[in-house]
Amino acid sequence: MINYIPLLKTVPLFFDIEANDLSELLNCLSAKIKTFQTQESIFSEGDSAEFVGIILSGEAQIVMDDYYGNRNIVASLTVGHLFGEAFACADVSILPVSVIATNETIIMQINYKKIITTCSNCCTFHNKLIYNMLRIVANKNVMLNQKIDVISKRTTREKILSYLAIQAKQAGQNSFSIPFNRQELADYLFVDRSALSNELSKLSDKGVLHFHKNTFELL
Amino acid sequence: MINYIPLLKTVPLFFDIEANDLSELLNCLSAKIKTFQTQESIFSEGDSAEFVGIILSGEAQIVMDDYYGNRNIVASLTVGHLFGEAFACADVSILPVSVIATNETIIMQINYKKIITTCSNCCTFHNKLIYNMLRIVANKNVMLNQKIDVISKRTTREKILSYLAIQAKQAGQNSFSIPFNRQELADYLFVDRSALSNELSKLSDKGVLHFHKNTFELL
DNA sequence: ATATATATGTTGTATTTACAACGAAAGTGA
DNA sequence: TCACTTTCGTTGTAAATACAACATATATAT
């Protein structure tokens, strides 16, 4: 656990909490560390929504499958990312999504009730944790709105350009990499992969953008 | 202000706070009451994201306009609803959306900093407010995920059925009303209104559902 | 009651997409 | 190196959509 303190200090959930206090706090929260192999379920749809997780190493994806078996990538998770917090904080008892490890992945698992229930030892931290959690959930909220803004576009072309424009803005330059391969980008945009490739080719032909693998340049 | 205490007691932001304390708390928060006419902007895109609002009477919509002028209805707001909280709680300084009154509407406006900054008078309430806010933001988060789940469907038919299935589940029965007219439903689902009407007619012909105005019945 | 405005349903067409099938390219492991 | 797998681009076709234009129905005001 101690080994992860430097990483955990960078996690937004523990923002403004000193490294010295963090170790004690983790004990107080009964934080557990678990390891998962590639494709293994960290959380499964239908599980009780009482835990939040933090990626300590590896990668994972939050996915939602519909009736027809189409897998919808809700988000990609990398080191330091928090997941499950929205459902734990909301009036939701059962998880409607799964979290799947895409590599060998180590996570820290915390029971949400431990976060919001003050205790005799370290209750001074709890309010700070709740406040941090609020910022985190609100930021995810904003990101979800942003995603809705992207996928609300009617055509594949508009979705692509809308998504890439946001990525370029976040990168601060016209050349940038995205965290998806073609299939994952297609899933994120809710379009067909081949149609996506097709449209990317057309955009490249028209000189609107250049791309190579997952690196793009808007012109 | 006093007149609205009974209503405010039912607002989730003030959950678990006694009516007696509420009046004092509102003073402490420097809550302001404002009135807007139909189509008037309560918040405008580009405004500073420092306020949260509560609908005291009337109706409003959170809308987002894209480059092409397409207006996207992010949400409909009725009495008791809170708005602006996600942006106020997140690391967002400027509002990316507008809030428009769809009727004569009275709102209560609170500076978010007043909520999270403890004061000498009523700081015992602040932690409770933050905790309530967390639940609210997390619930909105879940709703946004739900909306993404609906609009991620590839065809208008699937979007309609997905949306109506959720509404039926929330209503607890197969017959229910929705808070949208055709155009608003089309905007929510990000499809063409006439295509929506067309598809609804087909579904009705096939005996999948019945509808009259904004009342639907799944068969 | 009548005129007017608003909301909703219908139809045809051009555009766009999903889907399937295939081939090329790049990566992986023996 | 070679076989094998995964990823990506391309093409054709059937299906679905957006859009426009119009018809019908409902609501509202005078």
Side-chain angles (χ1 to χ4, degrees):
Chain A
M1 189 82 74
I2 276 279
N3 300 334
Y4 292 112
I5 296 286
L7 167 62
L8 291 173
K9 244 192 75 61
T10 70
V11 171
L13 180 59
F14 301 118
F15 178 76
D16 209 19
I17 294 175
E18 292 304 314
N20 298 338
D21 304 325
L22 199 47
S23 184
E24 180 191 356
L25 176 61
L26 291 178
N27 262 327
C28 172
L29 293 174
S30 304
K32 290 183 178 56
I33 290 180
K34 298 186 176 180
T35 303
F36 297 86
Q37 302 305 313
T38 304
Q39 295 304 320
E40 208 175 342
S41 284
I42 298 173
F43 288 174
S44 293
E45 187 179 331
D47 283 356
S48 167
E50 56 189 321
F51 295 103
V52 301
I54 298 171
I55 308 281
L56 298 178
S57 77
E59 289 181 351
Q61 287 179 335
I62 302 176
V63 302
M64 174 180 270
D65 298 330
D66 66 18
Y67 337 109
Y68 311 108
N70 297 318
R71 175 153 288 189
N72 162 17
I73 301 178
V74 178
S76 286
L77 302 170
T78 54
V79 172
H81 279 140
L82 186 74
F83 57 95
E85 78 292 340
F87 300 111
C89 298
D91 307 319
V92 171
S93 56
I94 289 178
L95 281 178
V97 301
S98 298
V99 178
I100 311 289
T102 52
N103 278 320
E104 176 170 320
T105 299
I106 303 174
I107 68 152
M108 194 173 83
Q109 190 184 60
I110 304 171
N111 188 317
Y112 177 65
K113 282 186 183 159
K114 295 270 185 176
I115 294 179
I116 59 170
T117 308
T118 56
C119 70
S120 53
N121 295 327
C122 51
C123 57
T124 48
F125 300 123
H126 283 130
N127 291 332
K128 197 161 281 179
L129 279 178
I130 293 174
Y131 177 57
N132 286 340
M133 188 71 96
L134 177 54
R135 282 171 64 99
I136 291 165
V137 175
N139 273 307
K140 286 219 177 180
N141 203 312
V142 171
M143 286 181 59
L144 288 173
N145 272 311
Q146 201 174 58
K147 172 159 185 173
I148 289 178
D149 191 38
V150 170
I151 65 176
S152 71
K153 300 295 185 296
R154 302 302 172 85
T155 66
T156 299
R157 170 170 307 195
E158 284 178 302
K159 289 179 187 178
I160 293 170
L161 292 178
S162 178
Y163 172 76
L164 293 179
I166 289 174
Q167 295 301 307
K169 192 173 178 183
Q170 287 180 357
Q173 48 188 0
N174 288 342
S175 188
F176 52 89
S177 293
I178 66 171
F180 295 131
N181 63 26
R182 287 292 175 282
Q183 184 61 62
E184 289 169 339
L185 178 58
D187 288 343
Y188 180 88
L189 298 178
F190 302 116
V191 298
D192 181 74
R193 180 197 59 77
S194 65
L196 171 62
S197 278
N198 194 333
E199 199 61 38
L200 282 173
S201 296
K202 287 183 191 171
L203 288 169
S204 182
D205 290 345
K206 291 195 175 184
V208 179
L209 52 79
H210 287 328
F211 64 93
H212 177 65
K213 297 184 180 180
N214 66 334
T215 301
F216 291 79
E217 182 182 7
L218 295 183
L219 306 173
Chain B
M1 189 82 76
I2 277 282
N3 300 334
Y4 293 112
I5 296 285
L7 167 62
L8 292 174
K9 244 191 78 60
T10 70
V11 172
L13 181 59
F14 301 117
F15 177 76
D16 208 19
I17 294 175
E18 291 303 315
N20 297 339
D21 303 325
L22 199 48
S23 184
E24 181 191 358
L25 176 61
L26 292 178
N27 261 329
C28 173
L29 293 173
S30 304
K32 289 183 179 56
I33 290 180
K34 296 184 175 182
T35 301
F36 297 86
Q37 301 306 314
T38 304
Q39 295 305 319
E40 208 175 342
S41 285
I42 297 172
F43 288 173
S44 293
E45 188 179 331
D47 283 358
S48 167
E50 56 190 321
F51 296 103
V52 300
I54 297 171
I55 308 281
L56 299 177
S57 77
E59 288 180 353
Q61 289 179 335
I62 301 176
V63 301
M64 175 180 269
D65 298 330
D66 66 18
Y67 338 107
Y68 310 108
N70 296 319
R71 173 153 290 189
N72 162 17
I73 301 178
V74 178
S76 286
L77 302 169
T78 55
V79 172
H81 279 138
L82 185 74
F83 58 95
E85 77 293 339
F87 301 111
C89 298
D91 307 319
V92 171
S93 56
I94 289 178
L95 281 178
V97 300
S98 299
V99 178
I100 310 289
T102 51
N103 277 320
E104 176 169 321
T105 299
I106 303 173
I107 69 152
M108 194 173 81
Q109 189 184 61
I110 304 171
N111 188 316
Y112 176 65
K113 283 185 181 159
K114 296 270 187 176
I115 293 179
I116 59 170
T117 308
T118 56
C119 71
S120 53
N121 295 328
C122 50
C123 55
T124 49
F125 301 122
H126 283 131
N127 292 331
K128 197 161 280 181
L129 278 179
I130 293 174
Y131 176 59
N132 286 341
M133 188 71 95
L134 177 54
R135 283 172 61 100
I136 291 165
V137 174
N139 274 307
K140 286 218 175 179
N141 203 312
V142 171
M143 286 181 60
L144 288 173
N145 273 310
Q146 201 174 61
K147 171 160 184 173
I148 288 177
D149 191 40
V150 170
I151 65 175
S152 71
K153 300 296 185 294
R154 304 301 174 83
T155 66
T156 299
R157 172 171 304 194
E158 284 178 301
K159 290 179 186 177
I160 293 170
L161 292 177
S162 178
Y163 172 76
L164 293 179
I166 289 174
Q167 295 302 308
K169 192 173 180 186
Q170 287 179 358
Q173 49 187 1
N174 288 342
S175 187
F176 53 89
S177 293
I178 66 173
F180 296 130
N181 63 25
R182 287 292 175 283
Q183 184 60 62
E184 289 168 340
L185 178 58
D187 288 344
Y188 180 89
L189 298 179
F190 300 116
V191 298
D192 182 73
R193 181 199 59 77
S194 65
L196 171 63
S197 278
N198 194 331
E199 200 60 40
L200 282 174
S201 296
K202 287 183 190 171
L203 287 169
S204 182
D205 289 347
K206 290 196 175 183
V208 179
L209 53 77
H210 285 328
F211 65 92
H212 178 66
K213 296 185 181 181
N214 66 334
T215 301
F216 291 78
E217 183 182 7
L218 295 183
L219 305 174

